[in-house]
Coordinates of all heavy atoms in Angstrom, one line a residue:
Chain A
V17 N 1.8 1.8 44.1 CA 2.9 1.0 43.4 C 2.9 -0.4 44.1 O 3.0 -1.4 43.4 CB 4.3 1.7 43.6 CG1 5.4 0.8 43.1 CG2 4.3 3.0 42.9
Y18 N 2.9 -0.4 45.4 CA 2.9 -1.7 46.1 C 1.7 -2.5 45.7 O 1.8 -3.8 45.5 CB 2.9 -1.5 47.6 CG 4.1 -0.8 48.2 CD1 4.1 -0.1 49.3 CD2 5.3 -0.9 47.5 CE1 5.2 0.5 49.8 CE2 6.5 -0.2 48.0 CZ 6.4 0.5 49.2 OH 7.5 1.1 49.6
A19 N 0.5 -1.9 45.6 CA -0.7 -2.6 45.3 C -0.6 -3.2 43.9 O -0.9 -4.4 43.7 CB -1.9 -1.6 45.3
L20 N 0.0 -2.5 42.9 CA 0.1 -3.1 41.6 C 1.0 -4.3 41.6 O 0.7 -5.4 41.0 CB 0.7 -2.1 40.6 CG -0.2 -0.9 40.2 CD1 0.5 0.0 39.2 CD2 -1.4 -1.5 39.5
L21 N 2.2 -4.2 42.3 CA 3.1 -5.3 42.4 C 2.4 -6.5 43.1 O 2.6 -7.6 42.7 CB 4.4 -4.9 43.2 CG 5.3 -3.9 42.4 CD1 6.2 -3.2 43.3 CD2 6.1 -4.8 41.4
A22 N 1.7 -6.2 44.2 CA 1.1 -7.2 45.0 C 0.1 -7.9 44.2 O -0.1 -9.2 44.3 CB 0.5 -6.6 46.3
L23 N -0.7 -7.2 43.3 CA -1.7 -7.8 42.5 C -1.0 -8.9 41.6 O -1.5 -10.0 41.4 CB -2.4 -6.8 41.6 CG -3.5 -6.0 42.2 CD1 -4.0 -4.9 41.3 CD2 -4.7 -6.9 42.5
G24 N 0.2 -8.5 41.1 CA 0.9 -9.5 40.2 C 1.2 -10.8 41.0 O 1.0 -11.9 40.5
F25 N 1.8 -10.6 42.2 CA 2.1 -11.8 43.1 C 0.8 -12.6 43.3 O 0.9 -13.8 43.2 CB 2.6 -11.3 44.5 CG 4.0 -10.9 44.5 CD1 4.5 -9.6 44.5 CD2 5.0 -11.9 44.5 CE1 5.8 -9.3 44.6 CE2 6.4 -11.6 44.6 CZ 6.7 -10.3 44.6
V26 N -0.3 -11.9 43.6 CA -1.5 -12.7 44.0 C -2.1 -13.4 42.8 O -2.5 -14.5 42.9 CB -2.5 -11.7 44.6 CG1 -3.9 -12.4 44.8 CG2 -2.0 -11.2 45.9
Q39 N 9.3 -11.3 40.4 CA 8.6 -10.0 40.2 C 9.6 -8.8 40.2 O 9.4 -7.9 39.3 CB 7.5 -9.8 41.2 CG 6.2 -10.6 40.9 CD 5.5 -10.1 39.7 OE1 5.7 -10.7 38.6 NE2 4.6 -9.2 39.8
W216 N 14.9 -2.5 42.6 CA 14.2 -3.8 42.8 C 13.8 -4.0 44.2 O 12.8 -4.8 44.5 CB 15.1 -4.9 42.3 CG 16.2 -5.2 43.2 CD1 17.4 -4.5 43.4 CD2 16.3 -6.4 44.1 NE1 18.2 -5.1 44.3 CE2 17.6 -6.2 44.8 CE3 15.5 -7.5 44.4 CZ2 18.0 -7.2 45.7 CZ3 16.0 -8.4 45.3 CH2 17.2 -8.2 46.0
L217 N 14.4 -3.4 45.2 CA 14.1 -3.6 46.6 C 12.6 -3.1 46.9 O 12.0 -3.7 47.7 CB 15.0 -2.8 47.5 CG 16.4 -3.5 47.6 CD1 17.4 -2.6 48.3 CD2 16.4 -4.8 48.2
I218 N 12.2 -2.1 46.1 CA 10.8 -1.7 46.2 C 9.8 -2.8 46.0 O 8.8 -3.0 46.7 CB 10.5 -0.5 45.3 CG1 11.3 0.7 45.8 CG2 9.0 -0.2 45.2 CD1 11.0 1.9 44.9
A219 N 10.2 -3.7 44.9 CA 9.3 -4.8 44.6 C 9.2 -5.8 45.7 O 8.2 -6.4 45.9 CB 9.7 -5.4 43.3
L220 N 10.3 -5.9 46.5 CA 10.2 -6.9 47.6 C 9.3 -6.5 48.7 O 8.8 -7.3 49.4 CB 11.6 -7.1 48.1 CG 12.5 -8.0 47.3 CD1 13.8 -8.2 48.1 CD2 11.9 -9.3 47.0
T221 N 9.1 -5.1 48.8 CA 8.1 -4.6 49.8 C 6.7 -5.2 49.5 O 5.9 -5.2 50.4 CB 8.1 -3.1 49.8 OG1 9.5 -2.7 49.7 CG2 7.4 -2.6 51.0
A222 N 6.5 -5.6 48.3 CA 5.1 -6.2 48.0 C 5.0 -7.5 48.7 O 3.8 -8.0 48.8 CB 5.0 -6.4 46.5
L223 N 6.0 -8.2 49.1 CA 5.9 -9.4 49.9 C 5.2 -9.2 51.2 O 4.2 -9.9 51.5 CB 7.2 -10.1 50.0 CG 7.8 -10.7 48.7 CD1 9.2 -11.1 48.9 CD2 7.0 -11.9 48.3
P224 N 5.7 -8.3 52.1 CA 4.9 -8.0 53.3 C 3.4 -7.6 53.0 O 2.5 -8.0 53.7 CB 5.6 -6.9 53.9 CG 7.0 -6.9 53.4 CD 6.9 -7.6 52.1
V225 N 3.3 -6.9 51.8 CA 1.9 -6.5 51.5 C 1.0 -7.7 51.3 O -0.1 -7.8 51.8 CB 1.9 -5.6 50.2 CG1 0.5 -5.5 49.6 CG2 2.5 -4.3 50.5
I226 N 1.5 -8.7 50.5 CA 0.6 -9.9 50.2 C 0.4 -10.7 51.5 O -0.6 -11.3 51.7 CB 1.1 -10.7 49.0 CG1 2.5 -11.2 49.2 CG2 0.9 -10.0 47.7 CD1 2.9 -12.2 48.2
I227 N 1.4 -10.7 52.4 CA 1.2 -11.4 53.7 C 0.1 -10.7 54.5 O -0.8 -11.3 55.1 CB 2.5 -11.4 54.4 CG1 3.6 -12.3 53.7 CG2 2.3 -12.0 55.8 CD1 3.3 -13.7 53.7
L228 N 0.2 -9.4 54.5 CA -0.8 -8.6 55.2 C -2.2 -8.8 54.6 O -3.2 -9.0 55.4 CB -0.4 -7.1 55.2 CG -1.4 -6.1 55.8 CD1 -1.4 -6.4 57.3 CD2 -1.0 -4.7 55.6
G229 N -2.3 -8.7 53.3 CA -3.6 -8.8 52.7 C -4.1 -10.3 52.6 O -5.3 -10.5 52.5
L231 N -2.4 -14.2 50.9 CA -1.8 -14.5 49.6 C -2.7 -14.7 48.5 O -2.3 -14.5 47.3 CB -1.1 -15.9 49.8 CG 0.4 -15.9 50.3 CD1 0.9 -17.3 50.4 CD2 1.2 -15.0 49.4
A237 N -4.7 -7.5 48.3 CA -3.5 -7.0 47.8 C -3.6 -5.4 47.7 O -2.7 -4.7 48.0 CB -3.2 -7.6 46.4
G241 N -1.6 -3.1 50.1 CA -0.6 -2.2 49.4 C -0.8 -0.7 49.9 O 0.2 -0.1 50.3
I244 N 0.2 -0.4 53.7 CA 1.6 -0.4 53.9 C 2.2 0.9 53.4 O 3.1 1.5 54.1 CB 2.3 -1.6 53.2 CG1 1.8 -3.0 53.8 CG2 3.8 -1.5 53.2 CD1 2.6 -3.4 55.0
P270 N 7.5 -2.2 56.7 CA 6.6 -3.2 56.2 C 7.0 -4.6 56.7 O 6.0 -5.4 57.0 CB 6.9 -3.2 54.7 CG 7.4 -1.8 54.4 CD 8.1 -1.4 55.6
Y271 N 8.3 -4.9 56.9 CA 8.6 -6.2 57.4 C 8.3 -6.4 58.8 O 7.8 -7.5 59.2 CB 10.1 -6.5 57.1 CG 10.5 -6.4 55.7 CD1 11.1 -5.3 55.1 CD2 10.3 -7.5 54.9 CE1 11.4 -5.2 53.8 CE2 10.6 -7.4 53.5 CZ 11.1 -6.3 53.0 OH 11.4 -6.2 51.7
M274 N 4.7 -7.0 59.0 CA 4.4 -8.4 58.5 C 4.6 -9.4 59.6 O 3.8 -10.3 59.9 CB 5.4 -8.7 57.4 CG 5.4 -10.2 57.0 SD 6.5 -10.5 55.6 CE 8.1 -10.5 56.5
Chain B
I138 N 9.0 -16.1 53.2 CA 8.9 -14.6 53.1 C 9.2 -14.0 54.5 O 9.9 -13.0 54.5 CB 7.4 -14.2 52.7 CG1 7.2 -14.7 51.3 CG2 7.2 -12.7 52.8 CD1 5.8 -14.4 50.8

Side-chain angles (χ1 to χ4, degrees):
Chain A
V17 173
Y18 297 154
L20 286 179
L21 287 162
L23 278 173
F25 278 104
V26 171
Q39 284 292 91
W216 72 286
L217 287 172
I218 289 182
L220 282 185
T221 314
L223 288 170
V225 167
I226 55 174
I227 294 286
L228 177 66
L231 269 184
I244 292 278
Y271 298 100
M274 169 180 78
Chain B
I138 295 181

